[in-house]
Amino acid sequence: MPVQTSIQLFTVKDALEADLEGTLAELAARGFTAVEPYDFVRRAEPLAAALKAAGIAAPTGHAFLASTSFVNPDGTTTTRPVPAPEAVFDAADLLGMTTVIEPYTDPALWQSREHIADIAQQLNAAAEIGAGRGIRVGYHNHAHELEATFDGKTGLEVLADLLDPRVVLEVDLYWVARAGVDSPALLRTLGDRVVALHVKDGTLDPEAVAAYPPADQVPAGQGVVPLREAIAAASALEVAIVEFDHFPGDLFDAVEQSRGYLDETLGAKVAG
């Protein structure tokens, strides 16, 4: 099957919170046929209706399954109640979602193998529940899972070794680069467990990356993250997802440029 191009809706969160239907219609006009929702449990019904009206699918989505932590816009972390896995899968089912991905775990948990094993156990337990619903569970990385190392292995690789085979990975290429890790090599190591990529680019300018959210992100293909090489190394890729944490210019133009880059790159991968 061809790789699907998508967009993480957190990219357009301000527009989405102000006008759900209009924002999805605008993304459809910009050429997107799939999106990756965040915080979808609380608004599953209106989101499902808006997606249907826009002719957009939601094959993947982000929801907490192994964490109660959330990164605030100022970079602080708070703990808040999260829906039970059953409620997450109910909402995912309504949205036609086939993969629910844990978006973030506290960096402090990646300092020991024991804490990583606990994250794996929670993901494995959620995967067991999801399997009964025909929905997979996945994990999405930031930089901290790769900055932590254990006997020459990154924390993300340690996690992968502990995961049920049914748990998949969504690798964020920008955060891999921010951690100073070779993403094509990492993807070859992780192999067929990686079914989704966040194809996110940046200049990695030291001053700009020190900001929160990062101020160096640019449309895909315009920065220094090795996106083409990483996509080529992803042997089981199903979904390639556009995302920005922050962009100071015309955001909808930027995501459309990124989609165009992705479609061209994926087309070249198929042809090759």
Side-chain angles (χ1 to χ4, degrees):
M1 290 181 63
V3 178
Q4 198 163 18
T5 302
S6 182
I7 178 171
Q8 166 53 244
L9 288 180
F10 193 77
T11 301
V12 292
K13 60 185 182 300
D14 293 338
L16 195 79
E17 298 297 339
D19 182 2
L20 176 63
E21 294 83 0
T23 301
L24 291 175
E26 178 66 18
L27 291 174
R30 299 285 183 158
F32 287 95
T33 59
V35 298
E36 182 173 72
Y38 65 96
D39 193 17
F40 58 82
V41 179
R42 68 178 171 89
R43 55 181 170 201
E45 290 188 6
L47 181 57
L51 289 170
K52 183 177 181 181
I56 291 177
T60 64
H62 280 190
F64 293 114
L65 294 167
S67 175
T68 56
S69 300
F70 187 76
V71 184
N72 296 310
D74 64 357
T76 60
T77 301
T78 57
T79 299
R80 65 180 191 183
V82 298
E86 291 81 1
V88 171
F89 295 127
D90 284 345
D93 191 45
L94 180 65
L95 292 162
M97 202 175 282
T98 55
T99 308
V100 175
I101 299 164
E102 167 73 40
Y104 175 84
T105 51
D106 190 334
L109 299 176
W110 292 82
Q111 301 309 308
S112 74
R113 287 181 180 270
E114 291 75 19
H115 283 135
I116 295 173
D118 184 57
I119 293 169
Q121 188 277 326
Q122 292 180 71
L123 291 170
N124 291 344
E128 180 68 27
I129 299 169
R133 308 287 296 272
I135 298 171
R136 293 183 303 189
V137 164
Y139 185 82
H140 171 85
N141 70 280
H142 289 77
H144 55 266
E145 298 94 339
L146 295 149
E147 290 167 341
T149 57
F150 303 86
D151 301 321
K153 275 189 172 184
T154 66
L156 187 62
E157 292 168 272
V158 172
L159 176 73
D161 289 343
L162 297 169
L163 291 175
D164 183 300
R166 293 174 294 190
V167 180
V168 297
L169 294 175
E170 176 180 77
V171 174
D172 188 308
L173 299 176
Y174 172 81
W175 289 116
V176 174
R178 278 282 298 269
V181 171
D182 181 326
S183 54
L186 176 68
L187 289 166
R188 285 190 288 269
T189 298
L190 295 173
D192 289 353
R193 195 182 286 275
V194 180
V195 302
L197 294 176
H198 273 199
V199 185
K200 185 161 62 181
D201 211 345
T203 65
L204 303 185
D205 174 79
E207 185 174 335
V209 300
Y212 185 90
D216 70 313
Q217 291 177 10
V218 295
Q222 298 181 25
V224 300
V225 179
L227 302 179
R228 287 187 191 275
E229 296 87 348
I231 289 170
S235 57
L237 186 61
E238 298 173 11
V239 190
I241 299 146
V242 170
E243 185 188 33
F244 288 82
D245 295 296
H246 173 72
F247 185 71
D250 187 316
L251 188 54
F252 285 97
D253 278 352
V255 300
E256 186 174 9
Q257 289 177 52
S258 294
R259 182 198 54 74
Y261 171 88
L262 260 183
D263 287 346
E264 177 190 343
T265 303
L266 293 168
K269 180 177 180 176
V270 171

